[in-house]
Amino acid sequence: MITTRDPARPGRLLRTERETLLPLLRDTPLERFELPTACPDWTVRELLAHCGAALMRIVEGRLPGFTPEHNAADVAERADWPVRRILDELESGMAEAGPAIEAADGELDVIALGEWVHAGDVREALGVPGAYESLGTEDALALLATVSRERLTPRVCAVTPCGDWVMGNVVDGRAVAELSCDEGTLIRMYTGRPVRPERYRLAGAVREELVIYR
């Protein structure tokens, strides 16, 4: 089944992540915020600073503003913030950004998905099992399905324990690729995160073609 865009989905995903991730972070010892993440050169603390800053750009209408240069400047601006302030900004952004993303008619959906993926990066760095399979996984996969078409990835039928997902676009003269994996692995593959080869079976495409973030 091809997933259609639900305007309320990005905001719902962010609010769900707010309810699940923030309590975990507020109970995390301060020293663990200095752990490295899957994002090169960013610690947990720096990644969370980026996430909160990106959402507040949306809330405050400071757009566009998601280039690597903007991201680096946002993180540097928050270098001397205490962790509590970083978490407060992130929580506010997750609570408030939904209406602005909905009003953007799909152009900012990929940001909501990226926030959810970064939350997985944080859980992975902290050693939380099922890092990319939190409560919002179904909404995240539905967003991924629409974003994968916008990013012009090839058509893939992905079979997971929670259902089948149609990703990407039909390419003339090319058969639909087939992917079998769990939900967390599907997220990892399309967002360029590390994946163990035994976690999936892919035929008719190569992993590099699927990545939506370049």
Side-chain angles (χ1 to χ4, degrees), residues 88-134:
D88 286 346
E89 180 180 56
L90 177 61
E91 184 165 16
S92 295
M94 285 180 165
E96 299 171 19
I101 294 174
E102 182 174 343
D105 196 27
E107 291 190 13
L108 296 177
D109 287 8
V110 69
I111 304 299
L113 177 61
E115 293 278 330
W116 188 87
V117 173
H118 281 326
D121 296 334
V122 168
R123 286 189 289 265
E124 176 119 306
L126 296 176
V128 178
Y132 300 93
E133 299 178 61
S134 72

Side-chain angles (χ1 to χ4, degrees), residues 9-54:
R9 183 174 287 123
R12 183 169 64 242
L13 183 63
L14 290 174
R15 291 190 298 273
T16 299
E17 200 58 63
R18 172 176 174 254
E19 294 169 3
T20 57
L21 181 66
L22 267 296
L24 168 69
L25 295 176
R26 293 195 186 280
D27 287 338
T28 297
L30 288 178
E31 64 271 15
R32 293 184 63 77
F33 287 89
E34 301 308 316
L35 291 170
T37 69
C39 299
D41 302 323
W42 276 353
T43 63
V44 169
R45 181 189 182 282
E46 291 165 333
L47 182 54
L48 293 170
H50 158 64
C51 288

Side-chain angles (χ1 to χ4, degrees), residues 37-40 117 120-121 124 131-132 182 184-200 207 211:
T37 69
C39 299
V117 173
D121 296 334
E124 176 119 306
Y132 300 93
D182 59 69
T185 297
L186 181 56
I187 293 288
R188 288 174 182 270
M189 294 185 72
Y190 273 84
T191 59
R193 270 53 182 178
V195 182
R196 298 199 306 272
E198 68 272 15
R199 300 290 297 182
Y200 69 92
R207 278 186 56 194
V211 179

